[in-house]
Amino acid sequence: GVVVLLVVRLLVLAHADEIAIMRLIGAHEGDIRRPYLLCGSVLGATGGVLGAGILIGLEVALQGMLPALEVSSWALGGLPFGGALAGVAGAALGLASLPSEP
């Protein structure tokens, strides 16, 4: 979650010049923020899905050595949602750290 948060924050900060130009031509704050928040949620959810897949793979691979090892289904289902929340938080943090006026 922290990695996703930091990566999305860096993504937003890398586009600071473009955001300033959008503000100069009169774009609304919602129109500026929406793509970054959406991108953050998609990147975070993708990371959560990949993490759940890796966790399932490890569970299957280690089932012979550790038969009591079982991953709960709520944890697997929560990984994409948690990743999406971390991505949105990273985008919001990055957008909040930008100056509001160009």
Side-chain angles (χ1 to χ4, degrees):
V2 172
V3 172
V4 170
L5 188 136
L6 292 174
V7 166
V8 174
R9 182 175 183 272
L10 287 174
L11 173 77
V12 170
L13 293 177
H15 292 259
D17 294 337
E18 295 168 15
I19 293 171
I21 290 170
M22 286 190 278
R23 285 182 176 145
L24 284 172
I25 61 172
H28 293 90
E29 283 298 313
D31 294 332
I32 294 171
R33 295 174 187 270
R34 194 173 300 115
Y36 295 102
L37 295 173
L38 181 65
C39 178
S41 66
V42 168
L43 285 175
T46 302
V49 168
L50 289 175
I54 290 171
L55 192 58
I56 290 170
L58 283 173
E59 181 183 11
V60 169
L62 296 175
Q63 194 65 35
M65 290 183 270
L66 301 169
L69 179 67
E70 184 178 328
V71 179
S72 61
S73 60
W74 66 266
L76 291 174
L79 281 174
F81 294 112
L85 286 175
V88 168
L93 182 66
L95 288 166
S97 64
L98 293 174
S100 60
E101 295 289 327

